[in-house]
Amino acid sequence: MNHKRTQKALVVAGARPNFMKVAPLLKEADAFNRRNEGKFPRLEWLLVHTGQHYDRTLSDVFFEELRIPPPAVNLGVGSGSHAVQTANIMLKFEQTCLAENPDWVIVVGDVNSTLACTLVCSKMGIKVAHVEAGLRSFDRTMPEEINRIVTDALADLLLTPSGDADENLKREGIAESKIKLVGNIMIDTLAAHLPEARKSRILQELGLKPKSFAYVTLHRPSNVDDPQSLAAIMSSLRKLGESLPVVFPAHPRTAKMLAQFGIDNRGSGGVKILEPVGYHASLCLTENARLVLTDSGGLQEESTFFKVPCLTLRPNTERPSTVSLGSNKLTRLDRLASDLDEVIHGPAEKGQIPPLWDGKTAGRIVQAIVEFDERSRTETAAIE
Ligand code: UD1
């Protein structure tokens, strides 16, 4: 019989979109301990930062704004090719697991850190819970799609945001008993931080009026790593800037590519190119934008929450409810001008908020993990 009084988990974050997903989990584990009164093992959930993102604007700012405790361990892996980055995370994370001996590793999203840590644990016999499991773009040219498929094939507990994700997993032959629909974790953070986001001074700083600017973020290799595609995007933005101010905080990958291809990287006319903005400023820009143009998964969801029309410059999305229910529409470079025109002349608010975007997902996740442990304990006790 397992008499452990503490259940230890390493919660992994590596890149910008991970930080808003781990913040509510760590907070909820603390809340669980305060309520627990010794009935269940105490949750000792420690944050591991892989260091995949290391710039202040992509990492530290989120720790400060979301009040995430400093990581117990920072692997400091930095950038590299996919193989180099994944392998470096694996080498270092294996040492962390040997030193910490966790019962669980909790991974979020679909970045290289998610995949690397899952691979390590699956060989060490450490249980893995994947938050945001089951999303599929069905496009294996996206590195994230490979990360999603492999992570979900190996994880022990698949915590899904939406019904479509459950269906994807079942189609891949994953046992239903491993799948738990918990809702959208991003919305927990959004709901908790909306009052602060609404106090952001970003509109005043940039001289913008609500509902009269476009908020643009683009960083996918498929859009920004190709000189022709990036030049065509920038030329569409300049055209859009003639009728609507365009705010474009550029991810370091995008900034690097603009410089490398000799494309204007400071912005001109109606286009303002900025450094990446923090979480509160980004939410404030999204809520107040007339339209969002993006290739980010997070922005598709946040604009859906605010019912702000969003064009996603990608051939597919792993978040289909943002299109079927929300305010999102997929677009292509050769259709971008007409799609932008349609949005500008259409309603300023559209769509509905999908189910389980209610700010209570972290609570359901903690409960699912505790119940998984309780079930295993009962089963072990029955065998003994
Ligand atoms: C990663 C994720 C992507 C996510 C994105 C959010 C993978 C495969 N990709 O893409 O899913 O949407 O984060 O931002 O995990 N760089 C810096 N400073 C940093 C980090 C990166 O300057 O702190 C530069 C480096 O030149 C690096 C490049 O950005 O080579 C790309 O970084 P990387 O972590 O490889 O992927 P992202 O494009 O950020």
Side-chain angles (χ1 to χ4, degrees), residues 15-17 52-56 58-59 78-80 82 85 110-113 143-144 147 219-221 251-253 256 296-297:
R16 178 169 62 177
Q52 176 174 346
H53 282 175
Y54 43 86
D55 275 2
R56 188 178 152 68
L58 296 191
S59 179
S79 303
H82 284 274
Q85 191 173 59
D110 54 17
V111 302
N112 286 346
S113 303
E144 293 81 2
N147 295 345
H219 71 280
R220 298 270 163 215
H251 184 283
R253 174 191 281 280
K256 191 166 91 179
S296 141

Side-chain angles (χ1 to χ4, degrees), residues 118-141:
T118 302
L119 262 172
V120 168
C121 296
S122 63
K123 300 271 181 98
M124 294 178 86
I126 301 167
K127 286 174 289 188
V128 176
H130 182 205
V131 175
E132 212 178 75
L135 296 184
R136 295 291 181 269
S137 65
F138 304 101
D139 174 0
R140 290 198 183 194
T141 65

Side-chain angles (χ1 to χ4, degrees), residues 39-107:
K39 192 166 165 228
F40 300 99
R42 198 181 158 277
L43 304 182
E44 189 190 348
W45 285 18
L46 304 176
L47 180 63
V48 175
H49 190 330
T50 65
Q52 176 174 346
H53 282 175
Y54 43 86
D55 275 2
R56 188 178 152 68
T57 54
L58 296 191
S59 179
D60 301 2
V61 165
F62 293 86
F63 278 77
E64 288 159 21
E65 290 191 352
L66 304 180
R67 295 181 284 279
I68 303 173
V73 182
N74 190 326
L75 307 180
V77 296
S79 303
S81 69
H82 284 274
V84 166
Q85 191 173 59
T86 307
N88 281 340
I89 298 169
M90 288 181 72
L91 287 171
K92 295 199 168 168
F93 190 63
E94 183 180 45
Q95 294 307 313
T96 305
C97 287
L98 287 170
E100 296 290 345
N101 192 24
D103 302 291
W104 281 95
V105 164
I106 302 171
V107 295

